[in-house]
Amino acid sequence: MSISVHLDRITDPIVAQDERHAGSSVRQPELRVLMATRYGRLGASSRLRLLQYAEPLAEQGILSTARPFLSDNYVKALYEGRSRLPAVLAAYARAPALRAAVQEHDIVWIEKELLPFLPALFERALLGANKKFILDFDDAWFLRYGGEGEAGGRNRLVRTLLGGKFPTLLRRAALTIVANETLRDWALRAGAANVLLLPTVVDLDHYPPTAMPTNPVFTIGWIGTPVTAPYLARLAEPLRQLSAEAPLELLVIGAPDFTLPGVTCRHLPWSEATEAAMISQCDVGIMPLPDDAWARGKSGYKLIQYMAAGRPTIGSPVGANTTIVEDGVTGFLAGPAATWADRLRRLRDDPPRRQAMGSAARLRVAADYALQATAPRLAAAIRSIAAR
Protein backbone atom coordinates (compact mmCIF):
# COMPACT_ATOMS: atom_id res chain seq x y z
CA MET A 1 0.00 0.00 0.00
CA SER A 2 1.37 3.45 -0.91
CA ILE A 3 1.27 6.33 1.54
CA SER A 4 1.27 9.76 -0.08
CA VAL A 5 2.08 12.66 2.24
CA HIS A 6 1.07 16.04 0.86
CA LEU A 7 1.99 19.50 1.99
CA ASP A 8 -1.57 20.39 2.89
CA ARG A 9 -2.69 17.05 4.28
CA ILE A 10 -0.66 14.51 6.25
CA THR A 11 -2.12 11.07 5.68
CA ASP A 12 0.42 9.06 7.66
CA PRO A 13 -0.95 8.66 11.22
CA ILE A 14 2.54 8.60 12.73
CA VAL A 15 3.41 11.88 11.01
CA ALA A 16 0.13 13.39 12.17
CA GLN A 17 0.85 12.30 15.73
CA ASP A 18 4.31 13.87 15.61
CA GLU A 19 2.81 17.13 14.32
CA ARG A 20 0.29 17.27 17.15
CA HIS A 21 3.07 16.97 19.70
CA ALA A 22 5.55 19.26 17.91
CA GLY A 23 4.71 22.15 20.18
CA SER A 24 4.46 20.14 23.39
CA SER A 25 7.04 19.91 26.15
CA VAL A 26 7.83 16.27 25.35
CA ARG A 27 11.44 16.17 24.19
CA GLN A 28 12.04 14.06 21.11
CA PRO A 29 15.21 11.95 20.96
CA GLU A 30 17.94 13.40 18.79
CA LEU A 31 18.31 12.02 15.29
CA ARG A 32 21.46 12.17 13.20
CA VAL A 33 20.85 12.70 9.50
CA LEU A 34 23.49 12.60 6.79
CA MET A 35 22.64 15.05 4.00
CA ALA A 36 24.23 13.30 1.03
CA THR A 37 23.87 16.17 -1.42
CA ARG A 38 24.86 16.05 -5.04
CA TYR A 39 26.58 19.47 -4.90
CA GLY A 40 27.75 22.04 -2.37
CA ARG A 41 26.01 25.37 -1.78
CA LEU A 42 26.75 26.52 -5.32
CA GLY A 43 24.32 23.89 -6.61
CA ALA A 44 20.80 25.30 -6.25
CA SER A 45 19.10 21.93 -5.80
CA SER A 46 21.42 20.93 -2.94
CA ARG A 47 21.24 24.30 -1.27
CA LEU A 48 17.47 24.58 -1.42
CA ARG A 49 16.22 21.01 -1.14
CA LEU A 50 18.48 19.94 1.75
CA LEU A 51 21.04 22.38 3.12
CA GLN A 52 18.68 25.21 3.97
CA TYR A 53 16.75 22.85 6.26
CA ALA A 54 19.74 22.19 8.54
CA GLU A 55 18.98 24.93 11.06
CA PRO A 56 15.19 24.49 11.37
CA LEU A 57 15.62 20.71 11.66
CA ALA A 58 18.23 21.18 14.38
CA GLU A 59 15.64 23.15 16.34
CA GLN A 60 13.52 19.99 16.23
CA GLY A 61 16.37 17.80 17.47
CA ILE A 62 17.26 16.49 14.01
CA LEU A 63 20.98 17.10 13.61
CA SER A 64 22.41 17.01 10.11
CA THR A 65 25.83 16.65 8.55
CA ALA A 66 26.28 17.73 4.94
CA ARG A 67 28.45 15.66 2.64
CA PRO A 68 28.42 16.91 -0.98
CA PHE A 69 29.49 14.36 -3.58
CA LEU A 70 30.49 16.84 -6.30
CA SER A 71 32.44 19.96 -5.36
CA ASP A 72 31.72 23.54 -6.39
CA ASN A 73 34.47 23.08 -9.01
CA TYR A 74 32.11 20.72 -10.84
CA VAL A 75 29.32 23.32 -10.88
CA LYS A 76 31.68 26.07 -12.03
CA ALA A 77 32.95 23.88 -14.87
CA LEU A 78 29.37 23.09 -15.90
CA TYR A 79 28.36 26.76 -16.06
CA GLU A 80 31.58 27.79 -17.81
CA GLY A 81 31.44 25.02 -20.40
CA ARG A 82 34.67 23.35 -19.24
CA SER A 83 35.39 19.66 -18.77
CA ARG A 84 33.85 18.25 -15.59
CA LEU A 85 35.90 15.06 -15.66
CA PRO A 86 38.60 16.24 -13.18
CA ALA A 87 35.92 17.17 -10.65
CA VAL A 88 34.15 13.81 -11.12
CA LEU A 89 37.38 11.88 -10.63
CA ALA A 90 38.14 13.89 -7.49
CA ALA A 91 34.65 13.09 -6.19
CA TYR A 92 35.18 9.35 -6.59
CA ALA A 93 38.58 9.63 -4.90
CA ARG A 94 36.69 10.91 -1.85
CA ALA A 95 33.94 8.28 -2.13
CA PRO A 96 35.53 5.55 0.09
CA ALA A 97 34.98 7.78 3.14
CA LEU A 98 31.26 7.83 2.40
CA ARG A 99 30.64 4.40 3.90
CA ALA A 100 31.86 5.51 7.34
CA ALA A 101 29.68 8.63 7.15
CA VAL A 102 26.64 6.49 6.29
CA GLN A 103 27.20 4.22 9.26
CA GLU A 104 27.58 7.13 11.69
CA HIS A 105 24.07 8.47 11.05
CA ASP A 106 20.56 7.22 11.79
CA ILE A 107 19.12 8.25 8.42
CA VAL A 108 20.73 9.10 5.10
CA TRP A 109 18.99 11.84 3.10
CA ILE A 110 20.09 11.38 -0.51
CA GLU A 111 19.72 14.01 -3.19
CA LYS A 112 18.91 11.94 -6.27
CA GLU A 113 21.63 9.29 -5.83
CA LEU A 114 24.66 8.53 -3.69
CA LEU A 115 26.98 7.48 -6.50
CA PRO A 116 26.24 9.22 -9.81
CA PHE A 117 26.75 7.25 -13.00
CA LEU A 118 26.95 3.88 -11.20
CA PRO A 119 24.27 1.14 -11.01
CA ALA A 120 22.02 0.79 -7.98
CA LEU A 121 23.83 -2.30 -6.68
CA PHE A 122 26.78 -0.12 -5.60
CA GLU A 123 24.48 2.10 -3.56
CA ARG A 124 22.73 -0.89 -2.05
CA ALA A 125 26.10 -2.23 -0.92
CA LEU A 126 27.09 1.14 0.51
CA LEU A 127 23.84 1.53 2.45
CA GLY A 128 23.64 -2.05 3.68
CA ALA A 129 20.47 -3.97 4.36
CA ASN A 130 19.07 -1.97 7.27
CA LYS A 131 20.07 1.66 6.83
CA LYS A 132 17.02 3.90 6.48
CA PHE A 133 17.32 6.43 3.71
CA ILE A 134 15.38 9.21 2.03
CA LEU A 135 15.49 9.98 -1.69
CA ASP A 136 14.90 13.60 -2.77
CA PHE A 137 14.08 14.74 -6.32
CA ASP A 138 13.43 18.25 -7.63
CA ASP A 139 13.73 17.36 -11.32
CA ALA A 140 12.77 14.47 -13.57
CA TRP A 141 16.19 12.96 -12.94
CA PHE A 142 15.08 9.49 -13.99
CA LEU A 143 15.09 10.74 -17.59
CA ARG A 144 18.87 11.08 -17.47
CA TYR A 145 19.25 7.33 -17.41
CA GLY A 146 16.43 6.55 -19.79
CA GLY A 147 13.78 5.57 -17.32
CA GLU A 148 11.00 7.26 -19.27
CA GLY A 149 10.37 9.68 -22.10
CA GLU A 150 12.31 11.15 -24.94
CA ALA A 151 14.68 13.24 -22.80
CA GLY A 152 16.82 10.26 -21.80
CA GLY A 153 17.77 6.77 -22.78
CA ARG A 154 19.41 7.54 -26.11
CA ASN A 155 22.48 5.52 -25.19
CA ARG A 156 21.79 1.80 -25.09
CA LEU A 157 24.57 1.05 -22.59
CA VAL A 158 23.28 3.75 -20.22
CA ARG A 159 19.74 2.35 -20.51
CA THR A 160 20.97 -1.16 -19.80
CA LEU A 161 23.15 -0.30 -16.80
CA LEU A 162 21.24 2.57 -15.24
CA GLY A 163 17.71 2.66 -16.67
CA GLY A 164 16.23 0.89 -13.65
CA LYS A 165 18.38 2.56 -11.00
CA PHE A 166 15.90 5.02 -9.55
CA PRO A 167 12.93 2.63 -9.37
CA THR A 168 15.20 0.14 -7.56
CA LEU A 169 16.24 2.74 -5.01
CA LEU A 170 12.72 4.10 -4.63
CA ARG A 171 11.34 0.74 -3.62
CA ARG A 172 13.85 0.50 -0.77
CA ALA A 173 13.62 4.10 0.41
CA ALA A 174 11.88 4.77 3.73
CA LEU A 175 10.68 8.08 2.27
CA THR A 176 10.74 9.70 -1.15
CA ILE A 177 10.52 13.50 -1.23
CA VAL A 178 9.51 15.17 -4.49
CA ALA A 179 9.03 18.77 -5.57
CA ASN A 180 5.81 18.54 -7.56
CA GLU A 181 2.87 16.44 -8.69
CA THR A 182 4.62 15.15 -11.84
CA LEU A 183 7.43 13.67 -9.77
CA ARG A 184 5.00 12.33 -7.17
CA ASP A 185 3.04 10.47 -9.83
CA TRP A 186 6.23 9.01 -11.29
CA ALA A 187 7.48 7.91 -7.85
CA LEU A 188 4.22 6.14 -7.05
CA ARG A 189 4.20 4.39 -10.43
CA ALA A 190 7.80 3.33 -9.85
CA GLY A 191 6.87 1.65 -6.56
CA ALA A 192 7.71 4.21 -3.88
CA ALA A 193 5.92 3.22 -0.66
CA ASN A 194 5.99 6.59 1.14
CA VAL A 195 5.96 9.89 -0.75
CA LEU A 196 6.15 13.45 0.60
CA LEU A 197 5.32 16.26 -1.82
CA LEU A 198 7.49 19.13 -0.63
CA PRO A 199 7.97 22.05 -3.03
CA THR A 200 11.30 23.83 -3.35
CA VAL A 201 10.88 26.86 -1.09
CA VAL A 202 12.48 30.14 -0.05
CA ASP A 203 13.53 31.29 3.38
CA LEU A 204 11.18 34.26 3.59
CA ASP A 205 13.48 36.00 6.08
CA HIS A 206 15.91 36.48 3.18
CA TYR A 207 13.23 38.25 1.10
CA PRO A 208 12.18 41.38 3.02
CA PRO A 209 9.27 43.32 1.48
CA THR A 210 10.45 45.97 -0.97
CA ALA A 211 8.68 48.71 -2.91
CA MET A 212 8.11 48.39 -6.63
CA PRO A 213 10.83 50.01 -8.79
CA THR A 214 10.32 53.64 -9.79
CA ASN A 215 12.53 53.36 -12.87
CA PRO A 216 10.52 54.44 -15.96
CA VAL A 217 12.05 51.54 -17.89
CA PHE A 218 9.85 48.46 -17.59
CA THR A 219 12.16 45.79 -16.17
CA ILE A 220 11.48 42.09 -16.79
CA GLY A 221 13.52 39.82 -14.56
CA TRP A 222 14.84 36.30 -15.03
CA ILE A 223 17.13 34.38 -12.68
CA GLY A 224 18.89 31.13 -13.49
CA THR A 225 22.11 29.66 -14.86
CA PRO A 226 23.85 29.48 -18.25
CA VAL A 227 22.35 25.99 -18.58
CA THR A 228 18.74 27.20 -18.40
CA ALA A 229 19.16 30.61 -20.08
CA PRO A 230 18.35 29.24 -23.57
CA TYR A 231 14.70 28.95 -22.46
CA LEU A 232 14.57 32.75 -22.71
CA ALA A 233 15.01 32.56 -26.47
CA ARG A 234 11.37 31.39 -26.66
CA LEU A 235 10.38 34.98 -25.82
CA ALA A 236 12.57 36.72 -28.38
CA GLU A 237 9.72 37.94 -30.57
CA PRO A 238 7.30 39.20 -27.88
CA LEU A 239 10.17 40.97 -26.08
CA ARG A 240 11.25 42.63 -29.32
CA GLN A 241 7.66 43.77 -29.90
CA LEU A 242 7.41 45.34 -26.47
CA SER A 243 10.87 46.91 -26.79
CA ALA A 244 9.70 48.68 -29.94
CA GLU A 245 6.65 50.08 -28.11
CA ALA A 246 8.25 51.51 -24.96
CA PRO A 247 11.50 51.45 -22.95
CA LEU A 248 12.16 47.92 -21.70
CA GLU A 249 15.05 45.92 -20.32
CA LEU A 250 15.53 42.25 -19.62
CA LEU A 251 17.42 41.80 -16.34
CA VAL A 252 19.32 38.51 -16.59
CA ILE A 253 20.67 37.22 -13.28
CA GLY A 254 23.20 34.39 -13.45
CA ALA A 255 23.79 34.01 -17.21
CA PRO A 256 26.33 36.67 -18.20
CA ASP A 257 26.65 35.75 -21.87
CA PHE A 258 22.97 35.56 -22.79
CA THR A 259 21.70 38.13 -25.31
CA LEU A 260 18.60 38.68 -27.42
CA PRO A 261 19.03 40.82 -30.58
CA GLY A 262 16.69 43.77 -30.43
CA VAL A 263 16.23 43.56 -26.64
CA THR A 264 18.22 45.55 -24.09
CA CYS A 265 19.72 43.04 -21.65
CA ARG A 266 21.30 43.97 -18.33
CA HIS A 267 23.36 41.30 -16.62
CA LEU A 268 24.04 40.72 -12.94
CA PRO A 269 26.21 37.93 -11.55
CA TRP A 270 24.31 35.56 -9.28
CA SER A 271 25.09 35.62 -5.58
CA GLU A 272 23.29 33.81 -2.79
CA ALA A 273 23.70 36.87 -0.58
CA THR A 274 22.27 39.37 -3.08
CA GLU A 275 19.78 37.43 -5.24
CA ALA A 276 16.73 38.76 -3.38
CA ALA A 277 17.90 42.36 -3.74
CA MET A 278 18.56 41.81 -7.46
CA ILE A 279 15.10 40.37 -8.03
CA SER A 280 13.58 43.41 -6.30
CA GLN A 281 14.87 45.55 -9.19
CA CYS A 282 12.31 43.89 -11.48
CA ASP A 283 8.73 44.90 -12.22
CA VAL A 284 7.81 41.34 -13.16
CA GLY A 285 9.55 37.95 -13.14
CA ILE A 286 9.27 35.38 -15.92
CA MET A 287 9.77 31.64 -16.36
CA PRO A 288 9.32 30.41 -19.95
CA LEU A 289 9.53 26.65 -20.49
CA PRO A 290 9.00 24.18 -23.32
CA ASP A 291 6.28 21.62 -22.77
CA ASP A 292 8.46 18.50 -22.63
CA ALA A 293 9.10 15.68 -20.19
CA TRP A 294 12.06 17.36 -18.49
CA ALA A 295 10.35 20.74 -18.07
CA ARG A 296 7.21 19.12 -16.64
CA GLY A 297 9.37 17.78 -13.80
CA LYS A 298 10.86 21.18 -12.85
CA SER A 299 10.03 22.70 -9.48
CA GLY A 300 9.10 26.25 -10.56
CA TYR A 301 11.48 27.78 -8.04
CA LYS A 302 12.11 30.93 -10.10
CA LEU A 303 8.44 31.84 -9.81
CA ILE A 304 8.55 31.35 -6.04
CA GLN A 305 11.54 33.68 -5.78
CA TYR A 306 9.79 36.43 -7.74
CA MET A 307 6.64 36.01 -5.67
CA ALA A 308 8.59 36.11 -2.38
CA ALA A 309 10.01 39.46 -3.51
CA GLY A 310 6.46 40.72 -4.03
CA ARG A 311 6.60 40.70 -7.81
CA PRO A 312 3.94 39.40 -10.20
CA THR A 313 5.04 36.48 -12.36
CA ILE A 314 4.42 35.10 -15.80
CA GLY A 315 5.18 31.46 -16.50
CA SER A 316 4.55 28.87 -19.15
CA PRO A 317 1.58 26.61 -18.27
CA VAL A 318 3.87 23.61 -17.76
CA GLY A 319 4.25 21.29 -14.77
CA ALA A 320 4.51 22.92 -11.34
CA ASN A 321 4.03 26.39 -12.83
CA THR A 322 0.31 25.71 -13.15
CA THR A 323 0.10 25.05 -9.40
CA ILE A 324 2.32 27.91 -8.24
CA VAL A 325 0.80 30.72 -10.32
CA GLU A 326 -2.80 31.70 -9.61
CA ASP A 327 -3.64 32.98 -13.07
CA GLY A 328 -4.91 36.54 -12.88
CA VAL A 329 -4.27 36.77 -9.11
CA THR A 330 -0.54 36.39 -8.43
CA GLY A 331 0.51 36.59 -12.07
CA PHE A 332 -0.31 35.00 -15.40
CA LEU A 333 0.18 31.73 -17.25
CA ALA A 334 1.14 32.32 -20.89
CA GLY A 335 1.53 29.79 -23.70
CA PRO A 336 1.82 31.20 -27.26
CA ALA A 337 4.12 34.13 -27.96
CA ALA A 338 1.15 36.44 -28.54
CA THR A 339 -0.17 35.63 -25.06
CA TRP A 340 3.21 36.46 -23.51
CA ALA A 341 3.19 39.83 -25.27
CA ASP A 342 -0.35 40.56 -24.10
CA ARG A 343 0.28 39.61 -20.46
CA LEU A 344 3.52 41.56 -20.26
CA ARG A 345 1.79 44.55 -21.83
CA ARG A 346 -1.00 44.40 -19.25
CA LEU A 347 1.48 44.51 -16.39
CA ARG A 348 3.60 47.19 -18.04
CA ASP A 349 0.63 49.51 -18.51
CA ASP A 350 -1.03 49.00 -15.12
CA PRO A 351 1.29 49.71 -12.15
CA PRO A 352 -1.52 49.34 -9.55
CA ARG A 353 -2.25 45.87 -10.90
CA ARG A 354 1.43 44.99 -10.67
CA GLN A 355 1.40 46.09 -7.05
CA ALA A 356 -1.76 44.14 -6.19
CA MET A 357 -0.55 40.96 -7.87
CA GLY A 358 2.85 41.25 -6.21
CA SER A 359 1.27 41.59 -2.77
CA ALA A 360 -0.96 38.57 -3.41
CA ALA A 361 2.05 36.61 -4.63
CA ARG A 362 4.02 37.23 -1.45
CA LEU A 363 1.10 36.16 0.71
CA ARG A 364 0.82 32.94 -1.26
CA VAL A 365 4.51 32.18 -0.77
CA ALA A 366 4.24 32.82 2.96
CA ALA A 367 1.40 30.30 3.18
CA ASP A 368 2.65 27.51 0.91
CA TYR A 369 6.19 28.03 -0.38
CA ALA A 370 8.26 29.27 2.55
CA LEU A 371 10.77 27.39 4.66
CA GLN A 372 8.90 28.55 7.74
CA ALA A 373 5.81 26.63 6.55
CA THR A 374 7.45 23.45 5.24
CA ALA A 375 10.17 22.75 7.82
CA PRO A 376 7.79 21.48 10.54
CA ARG A 377 6.16 19.10 8.06
CA LEU A 378 9.52 17.80 6.93
CA ALA A 379 10.64 17.27 10.53
CA ALA A 380 7.46 15.31 11.24
CA ALA A 381 7.99 13.10 8.20
CA ILE A 382 11.59 12.34 9.20
CA ARG A 383 10.48 11.52 12.74
CA SER A 384 7.82 9.18 11.38
CA ILE A 385 10.26 7.02 9.42
CA ALA A 386 12.68 6.94 12.35
CA ALA A 387 9.88 5.59 14.57
CA ARG A 388 9.01 2.72 12.24
Side-chain angles (χ1 to χ4, degrees):
M1 179 179 67
S2 294
I3 300 173
S4 182
V5 185
H6 296 266
L7 194 61
D8 58 346
R9 184 182 74 256
I10 300 221
T11 59
D12 186 329
I14 300 177
V15 175
Q17 180 179 344
D18 283 346
E19 282 204 327
R20 286 196 298 272
H21 292 290
S24 72
S25 60
V26 178
R27 182 174 177 81
Q28 301 270 14
E30 286 189 349
L31 287 176
R32 296 166 301 167
V33 174
L34 177 65
M35 291 182 174
T37 62
R38 188 175 182 88
Y39 315 106
R41 293 199 68 84
L42 200 56
S45 61
S46 300
R47 183 177 67 254
L48 300 168
R49 296 295 297 174
L50 284 80
L51 298 177
Q52 75 166 333
Y53 282 100
E55 185 174 333
L57 288 179
E59 294 172 358
Q60 300 289 327
I62 301 173
L63 308 180
S64 61
T65 303
R67 192 189 187 285
F69 185 81
L70 297 165
S71 70
D72 284 345
N73 288 334
Y74 177 94
V75 179
K76 291 175 182 177
L78 173 65
Y79 293 165
E80 295 169 7
R82 296 184 285 107
S83 172
R84 289 163 276 166
L85 182 59
V88 171
L89 294 177
Y92 274 98
R94 297 187 298 269
L98 183 57
R99 181 168 181 80
V102 166
Q103 298 306 315
E104 291 168 0
H105 293 78
D106 301 305
I107 295 171
V108 184
W109 184 1
I110 302 169
E111 183 192 356
K112 303 177 179 80
E113 54 189 331
L114 270 178
L115 299 171
F117 325 118
L118 292 181
L121 63 92
F122 290 93
E123 303 201 9
R124 292 203 304 268
L126 189 60
L127 290 164
N130 300 315
K131 180 62 64 177
K132 292 180 180 179
F133 66 93
I134 300 167
L135 286 181
D136 194 298
F137 295 94
D138 72 327
D139 275 319
W141 209 255
F142 49 92
L143 295 175
R144 299 278 184 155
Y145 296 151
E148 294 180 17
E150 68 278 6
R154 295 186 176 93
N155 184 293
R156 180 176 297 179
L157 181 60
V158 171
R159 285 200 310 269
T160 301
L161 294 178
L162 302 174
K165 177 176 185 175
F166 291 122
T168 298
L169 294 174
L170 282 172
R171 288 190 286 270
R172 289 195 60 216
L175 176 66
T176 300
I177 305 177
V178 295
N180 57 54
E181 290 84 354
T182 298
L183 300 179
R184 178 200 58 201
D185 294 345
W186 159 73
L188 292 173
R189 288 197 311 270
N194 188 15
V195 180
L196 170 65
L197 197 167
L198 198 75
T200 306
V201 299
V202 296
D203 183 344
L204 207 54
D205 291 343
H206 295 168
Y207 286 77
T210 57
M212 283 286 185
T214 57
N215 189 332
V217 177
F218 183 56
T219 301
I220 300 169
W222 179 91
I223 187 169
T225 72
V227 176
T228 54
Y231 290 147
L232 280 169
R234 304 175 64 83
L235 301 186
E237 188 54 37
L239 290 178
R240 278 194 287 265
Q241 289 178 17
L242 269 68
S243 295
E245 297 172 4
L248 175 150
E249 73 171 5
L250 177 63
L251 178 59
V252 180
I253 303 169
D257 298 325
F258 180 83
T259 59
L260 278 179
V263 178
T264 299
C265 294
R266 178 160 64 97
H267 298 87
L268 291 174
W270 176 85
S271 161
E272 182 181 357
T274 60
E275 61 181 347
M278 290 187 284
I279 290 173
S280 70
Q281 298 179 36
C282 308
D283 293 293
V284 58
I286 58 172
M287 185 175 178
L289 287 175
D291 189 4
D292 60 26
W294 180 258
R296 287 191 290 272
K298 295 188 73 63
S299 66
Y301 181 69
K302 291 179 180 60
L303 298 175
I304 294 167
Q305 288 184 281
Y306 307 143
M307 293 164 65
R311 300 299 182 261
T313 62
I314 305 179
S316 299
V318 175
N321 288 11
T322 61
T323 301
I324 295 168
V325 177
E326 294 179 276
D327 193 37
V329 179
T330 63
F332 293 111
L333 294 170
T339 307
W340 275 93
D342 174 75
R343 302 303 188 265
L344 285 166
R345 193 177 288 113
R346 290 190 199 183
L347 291 173
R348 180 196 65 188
D349 297 341
D350 194 344
R353 188 173 196 176
R354 290 203 304 268
Q355 180 67 57
M357 282 187 160
S359 297
R362 183 174 170 86
L363 289 174
R364 175 150 168 76
V365 168
D368 296 322
Y369 297 101
L371 181 68
Q372 291 75 6
T374 57
R377 296 183 172 94
L378 174 61
I382 293 175
R383 287 281 180 193
S384 77
I385 64 171
R388 293 191 182 122

